[in-house]
């Protein structure tokens, strides 16, 4: 890796300002915020343990949710400090601010190997604005900068970018953590020269979200398998009826160009052969966001590529599962990003689950499988197959932007080797 990593650092007795992505899902239970998935915390433990062993004083900074510059109690990192302490097996002091005297006092009292976690940086508006004066305030206690927050590395914010610049200007080192290094290795280097066949599975709701990734991967992949609602925008582009399926009429043009590019590049471009369709009906019930809950009636597999007027396509059908699984079983490298249907709803989870199963089996047979974060990771974990793949990214938006070929500001700001 071209960037300095924590392995190259001497941190004994130094205050290490470490940015982590502890933007974890929380749920309120009996008036308390409870972490429902601690993966992002667990994944930073190797970096923390290494830096503790090296005798650094670790000051962790993170964001949680989007509090927009306000002290939202439900977005406090206090429960995260508690969880981290349990996982690390040592005390983690929590400071209920990220700048100012409280932080300076806490930092002054640290011994080598101590860990503290600062309160949500997004309680200040200046964080997302990457305000230089705010970055200076954050950097006040920093002698070394470490970024292990791959999931937030696509943001040019004060704690992900500005602080690194301040530390570097003072002659301090800015290094990638071990998680950051792994993410860049699997989503970057490993896909540069993949063992072939290289099969890419892309799903999710929108073509417009994925078009840059599709475009870039058409340069590298041997086959692209498309699922999720975005498949219906491709159908629209091919002149089929899409009924009430989620489609982006404005993106039909880019879908057409992708199909043409695949043909020109001789890349197999597989679209669903059949679907699971159902009739969506609005109910009187409201969801958490106050929107009417939709019920899906009469779900059935359909091999008619024209969707009935009153129905929506919500999952890939059984024939598609067979065809996609065969392609996956032939692969030596697999990249998967995005579910094959509305998998949060049990009725429409079989397609995504079958793909998860195929990816796990292909991995067992020796393929390298890389899961590009977000919903595909959720689906794999739900199917209890998370440990059966080679790598699962902790990034959502960050993985997508990185796969598009973008330079992530949080990475760019780190010192070169
Ligand atoms: C994420 O969860 O995707 C990252 O933590 C970044 O959060 P954001 O999308 O609110 O910037
Ligand atoms: Mg996000």
């Amino acid at each position: 890796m071209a960037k300095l990593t924590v392995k190259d650092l001497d941190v004994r007795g130094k205050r290490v300002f470490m940015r982590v992505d502890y933007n974890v899902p929380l749920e309120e239970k009996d008036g308390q915020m409870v972490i429902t998935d601690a993966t992002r915390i667990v994944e930073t433990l190797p970096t923390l343990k290494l830096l503790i062993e090296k005798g650094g004083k670790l000051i962790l900074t993170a964001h949680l949710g989007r509090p927009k510059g306000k002290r939202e109690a439900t977005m406090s990192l206090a429960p995260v400090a508690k969880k981290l302490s349990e996982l690390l097996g040592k005390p983690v002091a929590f400071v209920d601010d990220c700048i100012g005297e409280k932080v300076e006092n806490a930092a002054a009292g640290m011994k080598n190997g101590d860990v503290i976690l600062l309160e949500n940086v997004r309680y200040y508006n200046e964080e997302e604005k990457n305000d230089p004066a705010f970055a200076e305030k954050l950097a006040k206690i920093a002698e070394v900068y470490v970024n292990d927050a791959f999931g937030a590395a696509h943001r040019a914010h004060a704690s992900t970018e500005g602080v690194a610049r301040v530390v570097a200007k003072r002659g301090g080192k800015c290094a990638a953590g071990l998680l950051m290094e792994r993410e860049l290795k699997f989503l970057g280097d490993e896909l540069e020269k993949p063992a072939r066949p290289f099969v890419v599975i892309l799903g999710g709701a929108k073509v417009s979200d994925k078009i840059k990734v599709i475009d870039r991967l058409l340069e590298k992949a041997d086959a692209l398998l498309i699922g999720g609602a975005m498949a219906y925008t491709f159908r629209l582009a091919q002149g089929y009826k899409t009924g009430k399926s989620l489609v982006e009429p404005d993106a039909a043009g880019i879908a057409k160009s992708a199909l043409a590019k695949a043909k020109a590049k001789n890349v197999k471009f597989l679209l669903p052969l059949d679907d699971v369709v159902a009739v969506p009906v609005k109910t009187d019930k409201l969801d958490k966001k106050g929107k009417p809950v939709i019920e899906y009636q009469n779900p059935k597999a359909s091999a008619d590529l024209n969707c009935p007027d009153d129905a929506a396509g919500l999952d890939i059908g059984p024939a598609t599962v067979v065809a996609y699984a065969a392609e996956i079983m032939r692969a030596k490298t697999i990249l998967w990003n995005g579910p094959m249907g509305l998998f949060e709803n049990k009725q429409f989870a079989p397609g995504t689950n079958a793909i998860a199963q195929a990816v796990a089996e292909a991995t067992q047979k020796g393929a390298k499988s890389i899961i590009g974060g977000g919903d595909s990771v959720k689906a794999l974990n739900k199917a209890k197959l998370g440990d059966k793949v080679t790598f699962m990214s902790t990034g959502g938006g960050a993985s997508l932007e990185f796969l598009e070929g973008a330079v992530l500001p949080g990475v760019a700001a780190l010192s070169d080797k």
Side-chain angles (χ1 to χ4, degrees):
M1 163 139 151
K3 294 291 182 183
L4 206 68
T5 84
V6 283
K7 288 182 253 174
D8 309 313
L9 287 183
D10 172 19
V11 295
R12 184 154 298 277
K14 289 190 186 142
R15 288 184 308 272
V16 180
F17 180 105
M18 180 166 156
R19 178 58 156 101
V20 284
D21 187 351
Y22 288 167
N23 190 21
V24 290
L26 293 158
E27 242 169 47
E28 199 183 313
K29 271 189 198 136
D30 308 323
Q32 293 224 356
M33 298 307 287
V34 179
I35 297 164
T36 55
D37 180 353
T39 307
R40 281 179 163 175
I41 306 173
V42 171
E43 292 297 320
T44 63
L45 295 177
T47 311
L48 295 175
K49 285 178 180 161
L50 178 66
L51 290 170
I52 291 167
E53 210 174 281
K54 284 182 173 227
K57 300 171 178 173
L58 311 188
I59 300 152
L60 309 184
T61 314
H63 76 280
L64 185 63
R66 293 175 177 170
K68 302 246 175 318
K70 283 206 201 79
R71 281 195 159 260
E72 291 283 355
T74 56
M75 297 180 197
S76 169
L77 281 163
V80 173
K82 211 168 137 219
K83 186 79 192 174
L84 176 62
S85 166
E86 279 166 34
L87 291 167
L88 206 50
K90 65 180 277 155
V92 173
F94 178 69
V95 181
D96 74 351
D97 210 340
C98 63
I99 52 168
E101 221 166 275
K102 277 184 200 163
V103 178
E104 285 154 40
N105 290 340
M110 290 176 87
K111 293 194 283 297
N112 294 2
D114 279 355
V115 183
I116 65 176
L117 175 66
L118 308 183
E119 182 58 288
N120 196 342
V121 272
R122 289 192 186 170
Y123 279 0
Y124 291 87
N125 257 327
E126 295 93 325
E127 159 68 1
E128 293 191 56
K129 289 191 186 131
N130 198 0
D131 179 84
F134 183 68
E136 291 278 355
K137 285 181 197 165
L138 283 171
K140 192 147 181 215
I141 38 82
E143 291 174 278
V144 178
Y145 178 84
V146 170
N147 193 344
D148 216 14
F150 174 77
H154 58 319
R155 307 288 182 215
H157 293 171
S159 64
T160 59
E161 207 268 352
V163 176
R165 302 279 176 209
V166 175
V167 171
K169 210 164 63 196
R170 288 187 206 139
K173 298 242 161 71
C174 302
L178 300 175
L179 173 60
M180 177 71 91
E181 189 186 16
R182 257 168 75 72
E183 294 270 5
L184 299 177
K185 171 177 179 274
F186 281 103
L187 295 176
D189 303 345
E190 293 278 350
L191 301 181
E192 248 350 280
K193 287 201 179 75
R196 296 189 180 278
F198 176 25
V199 172
V200 177
I201 312 151
L202 287 177
K206 293 181 176 172
V207 176
S208 53
D209 283 348
K210 300 280 157 82
I211 192 60
K212 283 192 200 147
V213 175
I214 294 176
D215 200 54
R216 183 152 183 270
L217 290 169
L218 280 172
E219 304 284 344
K220 297 193 184 293
D222 297 292
L224 243 78
L225 321 181
I226 303 289
M230 74 173 180
Y232 301 106
T233 297
F234 281 95
R235 287 259 177 85
L236 194 67
Q238 292 174 322
Y240 293 106
K241 286 193 201 159
T242 52
K244 291 192 169 160
S245 309
L246 199 63
V247 288
E248 292 176 284
D250 294 348
I254 50 177
K256 257 191 194 150
S257 337
L259 289 167
K261 182 167 175 180
K263 206 165 179 191
K265 295 257 165 203
N266 211 8
V267 176
K268 267 197 209 170
F269 200 94
L270 271 58
L271 290 165
L273 304 166
D274 59 350
D275 314 283
V276 175
V277 300
V279 177
V281 180
K282 259 189 205 164
T283 64
D284 297 337
K285 283 177 260 171
L286 297 179
D287 67 12
K288 277 185 198 156
K289 287 179 182 156
K291 286 196 187 138
V293 172
I294 298 185
E295 244 170 45
Y296 296 95
Q297 294 176 353
N298 195 20
K300 57 169 189 250
S302 162
D304 184 352
L305 299 187
N306 284 301
C307 186
D309 288 342
D310 63 344
L314 294 147
D315 193 10
I316 54 173
T320 309
V321 165
V322 171
Y324 284 14
E327 208 60 56
I328 291 166
M329 292 313 286
R330 275 195 287 273
K332 286 279 186 308
T333 309
I334 301 162
L335 171 67
W336 181 18
N337 186 291
M340 297 291 102
L342 192 66
F343 78 103
E344 305 91 320
N345 184 327
K346 255 206 292 219
Q347 290 174 296
F348 311 114
T352 299
N353 286 341
I355 294 305
Q357 194 67 46
V359 171
E361 274 171 40
T363 313
Q364 180 78 28
K365 265 186 48 194
K368 207 171 266 176
S369 53
I370 298 166
I371 316 304
D375 282 338
S376 345
V377 168
K378 258 187 229 159
L380 267 166
N381 284 335
K382 228 173 155 183
K384 303 227 173 341
L385 294 170
D387 58 349
K388 300 277 188 289
V389 296
T390 312
F391 178 75
M392 290 199 295
S393 177
T394 55
S399 332
L400 208 57
E401 286 194 28
F402 191 57
L403 289 171
E404 286 171 1
V407 175
L408 305 181
V411 178
L414 301 176
S415 318
D416 292 323
K417 262 206 174 139

